[in-house]
Amino acid sequence: MRIDDSVYDMIKLAAQGQRRNLSNFIEFATMQYLTSSQFVEKDEMTEILEDKELVENLMNGLEDFKKGDYTIV
C-alpha cells in the first residue's frame, strides 16, 4: 500500500495513541469506517421505510436490476 508520508505519520501517531501496532490500527480503523458507513441507524431506517414513494422507487429499481434493464453511468 502506498500513501503519502504525511498520511503515514498521522496513521502512525493514531496507532501509538491507541497502543496498537500499525497493521492492527489500519484494520481497526477500516472496520470502524465500514461498519459506520455501511449500516443505517434504526431511526434512519424507520424514516426510510415510512417514505412510501422512496420504497416504491427502490423496489422498482431492484426489479429493473434483476431483469438486467439498467445502464451503468
Side-chain angles (χ1 to χ4, degrees):
M1 175 170 73
R2 291 181 181 210
I3 56 174
D4 186 73
D5 286 343
S6 63
V7 174
Y8 175 83
D9 291 340
M10 288 190 321
I11 294 170
K12 186 176 177 183
L13 186 61
Q16 289 170 346
Q18 292 194 3
R19 298 177 190 251
R20 296 176 183 269
N21 64 43
L22 198 56
S23 62
N24 180 265
F25 179 78
I26 291 171
E27 181 180 357
F28 166 77
T30 302
M31 292 305 296
Q32 284 289 111
Y33 172 78
L34 291 174
T35 57
S36 68
S37 69
Q38 301 298 319
F39 297 100
V40 180
E41 296 291 328
K42 185 178 179 181
D43 293 342
E44 188 177 3
M45 181 55 77
T46 299
E47 184 179 336
I48 290 169
L49 293 174
E50 288 175 353
D51 186 336
K52 300 303 179 192
E53 183 180 355
L54 174 62
V55 172
E56 183 179 344
N57 288 336
L58 290 171
M59 296 305 289
N60 288 339
L62 179 59
E63 287 303 314
D64 289 344
F65 177 78
K66 286 179 180 178
K67 291 186 278 185
D69 187 19
Y70 62 94
T71 302
I72 297 176
V73 184

